Amino acid sequence: MTLTDTLQTSFKTVVSYRVRSLLIILAMALGVAAVVVLMALGDGARNYVINQFSSIGTNLLVVLPGRAETSGSFLGAVLGQTPRDLTLKDAQLLGRLPQVRRYAPLNVGAAELSAANRLREVSVLGSTANLIPIRHMKLAQGSFLAHGTERSAQIVLGAKIANEFFPRSQSIGQRVRLGDYRFLVSGVLASQGESMGFNTDEIVIIPIDYAQALFNTTSLFRILIEAKSHSEIESAKQAILATMRQSHDGEDDTTVITQDAILATFDRVLQALTLAVAGIAAISLIVAGILVMNVMLVSVNQRTSEIGLLKAIGATSTDIRRLFFAEAVWLSLAGAILGFLLGQFGSLMLRLAYPQLPAWAPAWASIAGILVALVTGVLASLIPASQAARLDAVKALGKK
Amino acid sequence: MIRLTAITRTFHMGDQAVYALNNINLHIASGEYVSIMGPSGSGKSTLLNIIGLLDKPDSGSYELDDRLITDLSETEQAQIRREKIGFVFQSFHLVPRLTAAENIELPLILSGMPSAQRQNLVNDALQAFELKERAHHRPAELSGGQRQRVAIARATIMHPSVILADEPTGNLDHQIGAEVMSLLENLHHTGTTLIVVTHDRELGSRAHRQIGMRDGKILTDQADDAH
């Protein structure tokens, strides 16, 4: 029996058992579709988080006081000493490093903002003009410290705050009071919404000197640093640590977090999660495989007398095994293709429902889903096919 | 030419061995018309199955056209069934989801013949067995006589040297049965060996050589000289 005839004959058989074939194809298709959609969802979520995290800056390093250590080798912890503070002087030292493009010292706190007979509590960032480009913030109007000096009392309002305080008039040039200090509004942030749990629409930004005076501190909360290029991140990190050690009398009491490292961690965690979810989906494919095996076994049983006849008119065991095998291939192939299409459709629906989620299944996941479906279907047909091939012709013919 | 020497075939019913065939020696020349008769359980169907290579004897040897069959591999036996033997069954054994033409085509497909060549042969067979109008009907839409004609067309499409018919008229009424028998006998007239298993005496007596069986043994073997 030629390969073409085997494929054609088994295809006709699959078509003639319409309901049975459709059920198997559906089971297979749902398995493949589940893998594709869940991979799309997982990968979409991963890309979403990574995009969000990338949007807060490029080649970003964050210097914070204290040393993140789990062992007790840091003597200060035992003696109750706090680590040495970060100061503006430290920030300026770091700014001179060759790997650093720009830096922004950062203080964070809360204060009461009042103007035009309104009053509310706001989050306050104290920094320099460099904060805006380092943190990828955008100004809708005006500027921050562009025409003034670090010492001039300028303030940038978040989009929502500007709207709340000056709903009908121009915010720029207005005078506001923050705590005990008066500021001139020099800019308004563009509305960006929430990112990484931090809403830039409800903050105000003031020069670092005023923030330190307002919060009555000389230390910094963080120093944000942008490396000159991606390849210089690691050397920048080492240089920062070395500089800080020198400045802090040989004590290693600062921590440098790179955006890159956090991204990589996120990436790993989410990738593992995606794979785990896809693995669970793949179980449904195995269930579909068992269904294929079951239906094929029933089919061999139903067609026993037909198999006996085929043997009587000269079919070899190999012919019969191949016929059943080819049936499984057709069923799995149809199931895999339908499942792939269903999965793509499901991903499209996800993207339409959640436009910010890039729910695209990676190509390898679709291919893997299809291959797993084919392999399970074909493996599941091995036992029924060999059972059919081994049937005793005389007994098979005698069976009604 | 068929030569069976000391063929034995036993079945096990519980712990008892039952001889379906007990030391059978039989020679059938090419072009003979033989009927095998006997009551149920006499071993006549087993004998037919062994001649048709569907069953294997426990001992003894079988030669078909001077070739020792008993030692051949399963695949080689399948090839002999395909090329030299045509089966006609009491219950027709047509594949229900295939049309008449497709049922007739099956042995050709198994032999690996190209599609275009197959169509010609199938058309000729449909013509010869007056099935042209029923070619695209499924077995369920055919009468008993038509179904058996399809089965005979399928059995002869490869031009086998032996036709084995197991109660070919058992499911047909008298008149249709007689028509089917004359079709089979026409095949014999063209030189094919025809072996018919039946328990119908009248049918059996049409054959030129009549073999009577009982309890796995050949009791009588009469050649009718009149034919």
Side-chain angles (χ1 to χ4, degrees), chain B residues 37-179:
Chain B
M37 285 180 288
S40 339
S42 60
K44 57 188 192 302
S45 288
T46 306
L47 180 60
L48 196 76
N49 288 336
I50 283 179
I51 293 174
L53 304 181
L54 288 180
D55 204 353
K56 280 195 173 92
D58 297 321
S59 63
S61 69
Y62 171 19
E63 279 173 68
L64 177 66
D65 293 343
D66 296 319
R67 197 161 169 208
L68 192 63
I69 299 300
T70 16
D71 294 340
L72 294 183
S73 73
E74 205 247 62
T75 312
E76 288 168 315
Q77 292 198 2
Q79 192 189 350
I80 288 177
R81 279 201 296 273
R82 195 158 65 221
E83 290 169 358
K84 296 201 164 176
I85 296 167
F87 274 100
V88 178
F89 303 96
Q90 175 177 5
S91 52
F92 321 130
H93 277 301
L94 301 179
V95 179
R97 52 167 198 283
L98 299 182
T99 63
E102 286 167 339
N103 266 289
I104 296 172
E105 193 186 5
L106 272 179
L108 302 178
I109 294 179
L110 289 173
S111 76
M113 184 184 284
S115 177
Q117 218 173 323
R118 294 202 301 252
Q119 291 319 313
N120 288 335
L121 286 175
V122 170
N123 282 333
D124 291 350
L126 286 167
Q127 192 89 49
F129 290 92
E130 295 170 25
L131 288 162
K132 214 73 197 153
E133 283 81 45
R134 315 300 282 166
H136 300 296
H137 290 77
R138 290 174 204 280
E141 300 157 350
L142 301 175
S143 71
Q146 287 168 339
R147 288 186 210 179
Q148 198 59 299
R149 290 216 299 277
V150 173
I152 294 171
R154 182 180 64 194
T156 55
I157 191 99
M158 295 284 291
H159 300 291
S161 52
V162 184
I163 298 277
L164 303 174
D166 193 350
E167 301 279 10
T169 62
N171 280 2
L172 302 172
D173 67 32
H174 194 267
Q175 195 205 332
I176 305 287
E179 284 173 29

Side-chain angles (χ1 to χ4, degrees), chain A residues 12-13 29 50 62 81 95 102 121 144 149 157 174-175 194 213 229 233 243 288 295 314 330 346 352:
Chain A
K12 277 191 212 159
T13 311
I50 287 169
V62 180
Q81 284 177 343
R102 49 194 163 204
E121 179 119 333
F144 181 49
T149 66
L157 303 181
Q174 300 279 356
R175 300 217 165 258
E194 197 149 330
S229 68
I233 292 176
T243 310
V295 174
W330 283 121
L352 289 178

